[in-house]
Amino acid sequence: MNKLELIQKIKQLDSISQDERAYLIELLNTTKKYGLVWEDKPEDVEEQLRTQLPVLREVVEKRIMSQVAPASGKQAHVQTTVPQIALDFGTNTAENTQATNQAPKNAVNHTIIEGDNLHALTALTFTHEAKIDVIYIDPPYNTGNKDFKYNDSFVDKEDGYRHSKWLSFMNKRLRIAKTLLSEKGVIFISIDDNEQAQLKLLCDEIFGEGNFVGEVAVVNNLKGRSDARFIATANEYLLIYKKNSFETYGIPAPDGYVEEYKLFDKIGKYRLLGLRKRGDNSLREDRPNLFYPIYYNSLTNDWSLDKDDFAESVEIIPKLSNGQEGNWRWGKDTLLKRRDEIVIQTVKKRNEYDVFQKDYLHKENDEIKRIKPKSFWSGTEFSSDAGTKSLKEILPDANFRSPKPIGLINCCLLQSTTKDSTILDFFAGSGTTLHAVMALNAEDGGNRQCILVTNNENNICEEVTYERNKRVIEGYTNAKGVWVEGLRGNNLRYYQSDFVEKGKTEVLKRALTQASTELLCLRENCYQDITLENGFEPKQVRIFKNDHDQIMVVVYHSRQQLQVFKSLINYIKGLDNCPKVKLYAFSSDKDSLAGDFEEVSDKIESIPLPEALYNAYMAAFRVLDLDSPKPSSATNNQSEEE
């Protein structure tokens, strides 16, 4: 009997409930012949999403706006003080709007979200779907030593569902994370032996086995852990997966590598690399089009692909050390295009000529050559001690176990980001990822944005994650009493997860639209409130702009909504030399909204609210399988396979 026939029989059973029928069909559809099998363990935070929709509320007094001013002969960061903006439904008053701070030109906007990361990730599906370039996470390792909480209880080593709980926890978050990654995006996940094998199989399933980039052994304790029974563990792991088309940018060549560049010419230092292909696919029959002779005239030190160009010449073909015919790394067109990089000289061991390429240390922009990172990272910058020392320099009294070192995050960023990348860490911990992003921006003039997500258990978000990066931006006195200058040009906004009741009644639609402002600002990277200066009432509409002259308009429900539309049309008509206005408005559908603003259709992109929010949330709920009936309690009584 095939699966479809069996499903039909289950549907016809009268002796089971609707929930039981749905569970059996789901079980049948998800049964696999090969792969990771675990018992799904529902989370309280997951079940909360069945009745509530997550939004973000900014804690305005924690906002940090980067402003540089001279003080005592040095440049010092000044944080401007702003009062709390009340954003309860219907309370966007003129006084509240005036509290919005203005950022200096070209400052980079970073974000900290306090709350459960499943809720935050769900909200981010609206603001950042397919927009995240790099994700780095350091999830709980599930050691059984009070490092992993599930439904408010620590999971210990004796828990029979220990691995199932961890896999259920990670599965939901990684599936949402995948939707946030751009097509060229990549995710780095730190892990140790407790869940490494399970995580690898889980990621193969979620991201696809073909999107596995690599696994790195990171030496974080060279001496090894003395409490290990058999082998003193000296490393943990870094699993790397791509979304689709990721290509590494490489890392700067280390000192030992640089020493190999002993030759130089007018361009700079170089070394010689054999042009013959090594390794896989290096035989003539593997790539026949890359097998061809090169003719060399030793008297003139010149070469050609045409034998007739010289009266006398030596034919050089790619040959392996055992005499087999091989192939070149370059085709004929590339060889001719890069003629100046070719060197032909005698190989003494074989007493015959061979072809080499000049491999230069520096690029045309004088940037040092980058190389592929290896699968083994070792050095003081990767050690656990380095992470602890870095945090203690900034927060001497911080009570945080095993913060990640900046060197580890930096190595991930160097190979995966451009200067305008967006980075997400939804297990933010001590906030190392944001610190590393700001430090790299300061080093290469980048504008990378970073989003951190963490809960506030034991006040970690407020007292460690936020406080650390606040001091990094503003400057601080280190453990030795020396002032450390702040990292200029960084703004930081602090949000907390909040909720709107789920439902599509008119009242709930208005409430969700009213609560969407911070999400929209984050989505469009528009934070400077210019509502009052343009003569609008903040209870009815909010207008924001950013450093790139992008304008965003948010229209709430009000009795004067049609009049607000007319005023906005006149306002938009007067805008010149700016990108299309992003207009979000409470409306029944996209066509109706487009009709209301037909006069300025060439100047706007209109998005109806709350429809756009509902669509994003529903997509996230499908990923989490929350769009199906709630499983019956029988689910939790099934035997676990681990």
Side-chain angles (χ1 to χ4, degrees):
M1 181 182 296
N2 63 35
K3 185 169 71 174
L4 290 177
E5 291 174 343
L6 193 55
I7 289 175
Q8 288 303 316
K9 284 186 173 292
I10 292 173
K11 287 181 177 179
Q12 294 169 9
L13 290 175
D14 296 327
S15 58
I16 60 176
S17 69
Q18 183 64 30
D19 282 350
E20 289 170 333
R21 185 178 292 108
Y23 173 71
L24 287 173
I25 292 173
E26 180 186 6
L27 190 65
L28 189 62
N29 282 326
T30 56
T31 299
K32 300 177 181 178
K33 294 181 180 178
Y34 170 79
L36 190 62
V37 180
W38 76 92
E39 179 70 18
D40 185 41
K41 295 296 182 182
E43 288 179 77
D44 294 342
V45 294
E46 173 191 358
E47 293 304 307
Q48 187 176 355
L49 293 175
R50 292 184 181 275
T51 58
Q52 295 181 304
L53 300 176
V55 292
L56 300 179
R57 299 284 192 186
E58 185 181 2
V59 182
V60 181
E61 62 265 26
K62 291 185 181 297
R63 185 191 296 164
I64 301 170
M65 309 304 292
S66 181
Q67 294 184 350
V68 182
S72 304
K74 68 176 183 288
Q75 295 294 315
H77 277 270
V78 178
Q79 178 189 3
T80 52
T81 302
V82 291
Q84 175 74 44
I85 295 181
L87 283 175
D88 291 333
F89 308 142
T91 61
N92 289 4
T93 63
E95 293 86 354
N96 294 330
T97 304
Q98 288 176 326
T100 302
N101 220 335
Q102 292 190 5
K105 201 75 170 175
N106 299 322
V108 183
N109 294 306
H110 305 293
T111 303
I112 292 178
I113 302 174
E114 175 200 316
D116 186 273
N117 54 15
L118 187 63
H119 296 155
L121 288 170
T122 302
L124 289 173
T125 58
F126 173 68
T127 65
H128 282 78
E129 182 183 10
K131 293 181 181 178
I132 301 294
D133 301 297
V134 177
I135 295 175
Y136 170 81
I137 55 172
D138 180 28
Y141 287 1
N142 200 17
T143 63
N145 296 320
K146 294 188 176 181
D147 71 319
F148 173 45
K149 256 187 177 181
Y150 201 79
N151 287 344
D152 295 327
S153 298
F154 285 111
V155 178
D156 61 37
K157 288 183 178 180
E158 309 308 317
D159 190 326
Y161 290 98
R162 172 186 164 199
H163 294 294
S164 282
K165 289 177 178 177
W166 190 87
L167 285 166
S168 296
F169 176 84
M170 292 298 297
N171 176 55
K172 300 175 183 71
R173 287 154 179 81
L174 289 176
R175 289 189 184 280
I176 294 277
K178 181 184 177 183
T179 69
L180 299 180
L181 280 175
S182 67
E183 286 303 297
K184 294 183 179 180
V186 62
I187 183 170
F188 298 83
I189 311 175
S190 288
I191 200 68
D192 73 356
D193 285 319
N194 285 283
E195 296 289 358
Q196 180 275 336
Q198 291 89 318
L199 180 62
K200 174 67 170 63
L201 287 173
L202 180 64
C203 288
D204 281 346
E205 181 179 304
I206 293 173
F207 296 99
E209 197 172 347
N211 287 321
F212 174 62
V213 173
E215 182 176 66
V216 177
V218 181
V219 178
N220 62 340
N221 184 350
L222 192 57
K223 295 179 181 179
R225 296 190 183 91
S226 58
D227 58 350
R229 184 178 179 186
F230 298 109
I231 295 175
T233 306
N235 72 286
E236 57 185 29
Y237 306 96
L238 189 68
L239 280 176
I240 310 171
Y241 281 80
K242 62 180 179 175
K243 172 77 170 284
N244 190 5
S245 56
F246 167 75
E247 293 292 338
T248 180
Y249 298 107
I251 57 175
D255 293 340
Y257 188 93
V258 171
E259 292 171 2
E260 297 178 19
Y261 291 78
K262 298 177 180 178
L263 304 172
F264 63 91
D265 59 15
K266 62 182 180 181
I267 296 177
K269 288 186 176 183
Y270 69 90
R271 63 176 180 172
L272 291 178
L273 294 179
L275 193 66
R276 180 178 63 80
K277 178 82 167 64
R278 266 77 174 170
D280 295 338
N281 299 315
S282 59
L283 296 177
R284 178 177 181 175
E285 55 264 32
D286 295 328
R287 302 288 297 275
N289 59 316
L290 293 180
F291 175 88
Y292 53 85
I294 298 173
Y295 298 97
Y296 176 62
N297 187 326
S298 59
L299 296 177
T300 61
N301 193 30
D302 198 5
W303 59 269
S304 174
L305 294 177
D306 189 346
K307 184 177 182 180
D308 295 336
D309 285 348
F310 303 120
E312 295 183 7
S313 63
V314 176
E315 182 183 76
I316 307 172
I317 61 172
K319 286 195 301 185
L320 278 64
S321 57
N322 62 7
Q324 283 186 282
E325 292 180 339
N327 54 51
W328 304 115
R329 290 187 289 112
W330 296 350
K332 292 181 180 181
D333 290 342
T334 302
L335 184 75
L336 293 173
K337 188 182 298 183
R338 300 175 67 173
R339 168 180 283 274
D340 292 342
E341 298 176 45
I342 295 300
V343 173
I344 297 178
Q345 62 184 31
T346 304
V347 179
K348 294 181 180 179
K349 289 183 180 180
R350 303 200 307 265
N351 194 29
E352 59 184 13
Y353 292 108
D354 204 350
V355 184
F356 299 87
Q357 168 210 355
K358 287 183 178 180
D359 178 43
Y360 289 97
L361 177 61
H362 292 85
K363 298 179 181 179
E364 291 181 4
N365 61 2
D366 209 34
E367 181 183 345
I368 198 166
K369 182 181 178 66
R370 288 180 172 240
I371 63 171
K372 287 182 181 179
K374 294 181 171 57
S375 60
F376 180 81
W377 296 359
S378 178
T380 56
E381 68 271 30
F382 302 120
S383 71
S384 297
D385 287 344
T388 300
K389 182 179 179 182
S390 178
L391 180 60
K392 291 294 185 182
E393 282 287 298
I394 305 168
L395 294 173
D397 299 325
N399 182 20
F400 189 88
R401 184 180 178 184
S402 302
K404 280 293 180 281
I406 290 178
L408 172 67
I409 312 300
N410 187 56
C411 198
C412 296
L413 297 175
L414 285 171
Q415 62 187 286
S416 60
T417 67
T418 65
K419 292 183 178 181
D420 296 311
S421 294
T422 302
I423 298 97
L424 168 66
D425 181 348
F426 54 90
F427 287 97
S430 69
T432 303
T433 300
L434 175 53
H435 188 171
V437 167
M438 292 191 292
L440 184 57
N441 280 344
E443 181 180 327
D444 66 6
N447 296 291
R448 299 170 185 84
Q449 288 184 306
C450 185
I451 301 171
L452 299 184
V453 181
T454 185
N455 60 36
N456 198 33
E457 186 176 337
N458 298 321
N459 296 323
I460 179 180
C461 191
E462 293 180 282
E463 297 180 2
V464 181
T465 318
Y466 169 76
E467 188 61 32
R468 171 188 189 167
N469 286 288
K470 175 178 182 288
R471 296 186 186 191
V472 169
I473 294 171
E474 296 180 341
Y476 60 95
T477 301
N478 67 16
K480 296 179 180 179
V482 178
W483 172 259
V484 177
E485 187 61 45
L487 297 179
R488 297 173 174 80
N490 293 288
N491 299 329
L492 182 59
R493 287 175 170 81
Y494 188 105
Y495 297 92
Q496 292 176 330
S497 294
D498 203 349
F499 298 91
V500 175
E501 187 179 343
K502 191 175 180 180
K504 291 192 176 182
T505 66
E506 196 67 16
V507 172
L508 292 178
K509 286 180 179 180
R510 294 174 188 177
L512 183 58
T513 300
Q514 192 75 40
S516 68
T517 305
E518 278 95 336
L519 286 171
L520 295 170
C521 288
L522 185 60
R523 176 182 171 120
E524 301 297 344
N525 195 32
C526 278
Y527 297 99
Q528 185 178 342
D529 195 324
I530 56 173
T531 307
L532 288 177
E533 64 189 74
N534 285 284
F536 288 90
E537 168 54 52
K539 287 185 178 180
Q540 300 170 346
V541 63
R542 299 279 291 278
I543 304 176
F544 300 87
K545 66 177 289 189
N546 65 16
D547 294 337
H548 305 289
D549 297 319
Q550 175 69 60
I551 301 290
M552 181 186 77
V553 177
V554 187
V555 185
Y556 310 111
H557 174 270
S558 69
R559 293 179 180 177
Q560 293 80 32
Q561 192 166 10
L562 292 179
Q563 183 58 47
V564 171
F565 283 178
K566 291 179 182 179
S567 299
L568 281 173
I569 289 170
N570 291 330
Y571 167 72
I572 292 169
K573 283 180 178 179
L575 294 174
D576 295 316
N577 302 320
C578 71
K580 277 194 172 184
V581 173
K582 292 292 184 72
L583 188 142
Y584 294 88
F586 184 82
S587 180
S588 58
D589 58 69
K590 190 170 185 177
D591 291 338
S592 296
L593 185 59
D596 290 331
F597 285 87
E598 187 176 1
E599 288 183 59
V600 288
S601 60
D602 60 325
K603 288 192 170 188
I604 68 167
E605 179 184 348
S606 57
I607 303 101
L609 291 178
E611 180 186 356
L613 282 157
Y614 283 137
N615 289 342
Y617 287 139
M618 291 308 107
F621 295 157
R622 283 192 292 273
V623 171
L624 297 172
D625 201 25
L626 291 176
D627 59 338
S628 59
K630 183 177 179 180
S632 67
S633 58
T635 302
N636 292 337
N637 296 325
Q638 302 299 312
S639 61
E640 179 184 22
E641 296 187 50
E642 293 190 341

